[in-house]
Amino acid sequence: MKKKLGLMIASVLTAVPAANITAGICLFNTAVARSKASLEQTQGMTGVNWGKYAEQIGEMEIVLSESRIAEYHIKSDDGLMLYGQYFRGAAWKQGNVKKIAVCFHGYTGFGGGNNSAAAKFFLENGFDVLLPDARAHGQSEGEYIGFGCLDRYDGLEWIKFLQNKYRMEDREGRLEIYLYGVSMGGATVCMMSGLDLPECVKAIISDCAFTSPEAMFELVLKNKYHLPPAPVMLVANMVCQKYAGYTFNKCSSDKSVKRAKVPMLFIHGSGDTFIPETMCHKIYENCASDKDILIIDDAVHAESYYKDRDRYENKMREFLKL
């Protein structure tokens, strides 16, 4: 199979200009290969000044440090060791229902990073929280980043892990799992919505998700590098398929939510030039389940929670009926 794919790539590349071949390979290497992906470059492209949110980030770190009770390792369906941190909520003994929020971070982040700030909200409202490191991020294994296409299945494995850990609660209908994600994590939970999720998954919150990895990269190629997307993406997709096992157009948030069955909340910033607000509206419009949307004025990419924390948390309380 790999030999045939290699021959196909070679035949196609003969028709692609050398500059586009180089750009396609460079895109794969710098965006997908773990060894080349850069947090600093990502933050520079998104435009967030994290320094002005140091106090809020510090508050989150204190809450997380005080409530962490365990670290877990599970295996992905393709054999990678995945890492996650588990935190106990403030009101975990109250009531008969165990509520767990599984929060997925963004590209080049990790489970306890800046874009997991809403974990503090969940903990203070009585949820336990699981913060997984995505494949090829943090303490999880993997050479290649999945951009949601692979991570959706990893997320399903984490749900199965929690079901097994709390199998009595799950069997008696006392386990409720809520999915939350920011940026690539937001796309991950959108893509998970199209899977056959267990009944214990009750709702999904997606913040600043992209419609598809391909659509996101096309924007970057046009707006930042002024390159024609089609030939570059053709090469990048073939290389990604050969080495990482998927293509950037293999899955998408806006198509996955057409199969969604649980309520979904979509959040985005109107000032997001990296992943434009139009992508959020497209995903929202396609969503087949009960849905709601929140647009935070002037927030850039992944900034909404910090830009207007009160509106953000009030909307989450309303959506989750807290």
Side-chain angles (χ1 to χ4, degrees):
M1 179 65 181
K2 286 189 176 180
K3 185 177 180 181
K4 288 183 179 179
L5 182 58
L7 291 172
M8 183 183 73
I9 292 174
S11 64
V12 171
L13 292 185
T14 58
V16 178
N20 292 324
I21 294 174
T22 301
I25 295 172
C26 182
L27 172 59
F28 171 79
N29 284 336
T30 57
V32 182
R34 178 180 195 158
S35 60
K36 301 292 185 181
S38 165
L39 175 60
E40 290 74 19
Q41 182 181 17
T42 303
Q43 291 183 339
M45 293 175 69
T46 58
V48 183
N49 178 10
W50 289 111
K52 66 180 180 180
Y53 299 120
E55 183 177 348
Q56 292 185 55
I57 293 170
E59 290 175 2
M60 178 201 71
E61 290 174 344
I62 291 172
V63 171
L64 291 181
S65 67
E66 292 175 346
S67 56
R68 189 174 78 169
I69 62 168
E71 298 173 274
Y72 296 123
H73 294 85
I74 65 169
K75 277 208 169 181
S76 67
D77 59 2
D78 55 351
L80 297 177
M81 190 66 71
L82 304 175
Y83 170 81
Q85 301 176 74
Y86 194 85
F87 305 82
R88 179 142 290 161
W92 68 275
K93 289 185 177 179
Q94 298 178 11
N96 296 319
V97 177
K98 176 178 285 296
K99 296 183 177 182
I100 304 174
V102 185
C103 302
F104 297 89
H105 63 78
Y107 178 68
T108 64
F110 63 97
N114 294 353
N115 51 18
S116 299
K120 177 176 179 288
F121 166 85
F122 285 114
L123 289 168
E124 292 177 342
N125 281 276
F127 293 74
D128 284 6
V129 170
L130 174 68
L131 297 181
D133 286 353
R135 60 171 56 215
H137 288 77
Q139 296 187 50
S140 289
E141 292 181 344
E143 293 183 49
Y144 302 111
I145 296 169
F147 285 98
C149 296
L150 303 180
D151 309 275
R152 55 180 172 165
Y153 299 116
D154 298 340
L156 195 57
E157 291 302 315
W158 280 114
I159 293 172
K160 292 176 183 176
F161 167 79
L162 292 173
Q163 282 186 293
N164 184 59
K165 182 174 177 59
Y166 298 109
R167 55 187 176 277
M168 182 60 70
E169 285 91 339
D170 184 41
R171 187 160 55 245
E172 297 179 1
R174 294 189 289 127
L175 174 64
E176 295 183 358
I177 293 176
Y178 298 80
L179 306 179
Y180 171 90
V182 177
S183 191
M184 187 182 79
T188 296
V189 298
C190 285
M191 294 176 192
M192 288 178 69
S193 75
L195 301 177
D196 186 16
L197 297 175
E199 289 186 6
C200 61
V201 178
K202 300 301 181 183
I204 296 173
I205 301 173
S206 170
D207 184 339
C208 63
F210 46 76
T211 49
S212 71
E214 183 159 89
M216 176 187 65
F217 284 127
E218 286 177 346
L219 284 176
V220 172
L221 288 169
K222 285 190 294 187
N223 298 336
K224 183 174 177 61
Y225 297 104
H226 309 292
L227 290 171
V232 177
M233 291 308 302
L234 175 65
V235 175
N237 272 317
M238 287 191 296
V239 176
C240 194
Q241 179 64 58
K242 179 176 174 60
Y243 291 101
Y246 73 99
T247 60
F248 299 127
N249 56 8
K250 180 178 181 178
C251 57
S252 69
S253 300
D254 55 315
K255 291 181 181 177
S256 295
V257 297
K258 292 180 179 180
R259 300 185 295 276
K261 296 179 181 177
V262 302
M264 298 190 69
L265 170 62
F266 302 97
I267 302 171
H268 217 95
S270 68
D272 193 337
T273 57
F274 183 58
I275 304 297
E277 180 189 341
T278 53
M279 286 195 177
C280 180
H281 289 288
K282 185 174 182 180
I283 300 169
Y284 172 79
E285 289 164 5
N286 283 353
C287 182
S289 61
D290 291 340
K291 57 193 176 183
D292 201 352
I293 189 169
L294 172 66
I295 304 299
I296 300 295
D297 296 338
D298 301 322
V300 298
H301 189 67
E303 188 189 29
S304 292
Y305 182 84
Y306 297 97
K307 188 76 173 180
D308 196 337
R309 186 167 162 178
D310 288 342
R311 278 191 70 205
Y312 198 110
E313 292 191 345
N314 287 338
K315 175 56 75 172
M316 292 222 293
R317 288 189 187 93
E318 176 188 330
F319 175 70
L320 297 169
K321 298 180 172 60
L322 298 180

